[in-house]
Amino acid sequence: MVEMDPRDYEIAELGPKLREVKDLDELEEMLELEEGGPNREDVKTLLVSRIEKLEAEDEEEAPGEVDPSELTVAELGNVVRKIEEVDELEVLLEEEKKGQDRKTAKRLIESQLESVQGSEEGEATEQLPPEEKYPELDHPTADKQYVKALSGGVYRDMWVYCETQRGELIDVSKEMLGKARELMDGYNDSYDAEERVVAVVIGDSIEEVAEETIAYGADVAIYTEDPRLERFYHKPYTEAFCEMARAGSGSEWDRSEADTDWKTIDGEVYDEPRYVLFPATNNGRDLSAQVQAELDSGLASDCSGLYIEETVISNPAKTGEAGDKKEFERVLHMKRPDFSGFEYSTILCLDAPGREFHPQGASVIPGSFDLPDPDPEREGEVVEFETTLDEEWFRVTIEDHDRLEGGVDLTGREVIVALGRGIGDDPTKGMELGLDLVDAFGDADLGISRGIVTSSYQFEGHVERYAKEERQIGETGQVVAPDLYIAAGISGAIQHKVGMDGSETIVSINTDSEADIRDFSDYFIEGDLFEVLPKLTEAIERGEPVPMAADGRGDE
């Protein structure tokens, strides 16, 4: 029986604990347990990744002695990538075909074989459509009639979609404008260019809002307004944005008749934006996916870090030649939390041979960047973009709506007490203790981690409302920056960190002295929250210091 059952953990908790498991048999058993239910894809990916990592560290068999029938696909993959002889790979492929004849195993061997042959011959890798390269697989997009990407396109500027609510810019729109200004200032210095920040505003009676974007860093504000656009509809908003993006390109998808002087740099009208940013809000996530799909480019969603620099890539899919390396310039590096919740991944949107991927796009988590101070004296160009909106795009209309009263807004509080899965032994008692500590402060409120929202904890009626998603802090919840943030029973997944690491002082309470949250806490208390919270509440009520707090970055 394994010591750690993956079914008892959320993926954010499981990630760091797997680092301590070094027994392959135990990991295989854990994978079998997960496959038996709940069979979560992200958890299985995490387990397989750990298994492959340990297998790679083990001494591998000599390639000539490999019997593919005795290896799992993961084990075979680790062996195959070390083989650089065509003859050995061909023999291995024949043995696999005669034996288990696994499709995934054959693709691994064939892929390595193509790479080795390309390196030896010095020839470009033939770019075959997926449906021709792997005819045995289903290809649901094979009937797509055309790809709307450009060839030899001209790309300039960084565009920022500025979302509004009730006729005003929301904070994340201002944050993105400030970050875009910073990025493009650095870009222009590095590449001796004069590219700009372009704010895109869509709605009804929003000319003044468009003008406001100049004060927050835009060089150009392009807007389209119509009474029907008062509320967000993804079809007309997508069509309007993409018409702006393609205006003046002369491509077969450019249907705009509007003036494009505003899109001219050095006497040339560029085809599409170089970069685009969207807010990672409900509407922003919807629009970003629709726009980037229509423009046939890529999207990195829910990002919390952006920078522009060169990168060197050796993947034949991007270089066009196996064994070759290629430097890509002016690449937007988009950082976002990965599946484990404890690491960041950097996403790149790169051109491929015969296919251009522009604009490079990202959606940005609210609160990821500083809110800039407006400069009312700043000058820029404000342009109304005239477009025709098809009635067919408004087949579904909102006849009436009510604004919900109340709700929970944690963003303005001086103190936030946040609870995590550490309350699991007695969820109701844990919630009560958190509320007691909140009451001991003045301007304070209670927040929770996603672990509580997605858990099956049973709360008694008087505290049940505090376990709702409206109090969640993190990547998919609220982003807060109080003077004091107290995290009790929270492990410190990146998804939670991005929602609170702007706090002035962070105090964390956890029984695990190696919990990730310790790395970004100002003070760390090693202990059971059921014992620590009452003492902390008493000390606050008496106005006394708390002697058990230790510097989170140092020793106890």
Side-chain angles (χ1 to χ4, degrees), residues 1-13:
M1 185 67 181
V2 296
E3 296 183 6
M4 182 168 57
D5 189 334
R7 298 171 297 183
D8 294 336
Y9 296 88
E10 295 291 326
I11 187 171
E13 298 175 307

Side-chain angles (χ1 to χ4, degrees), residues 397-415:
T397 60
I398 299 173
E399 297 293 334
D400 193 15
H401 69 277
D402 287 326
R403 185 176 304 283
L404 295 176
E405 297 297 331
V408 177
D409 183 4
L410 303 175
T411 57
R413 298 295 191 178
E414 294 180 359
V415 179

Side-chain angles (χ1 to χ4, degrees), residues 187-199:
Y187 174 97
N188 289 332
D189 288 342
S190 298
Y191 298 104
D192 192 24
E194 295 183 357
E195 297 190 28
R196 307 160 303 176
V197 175
V198 177

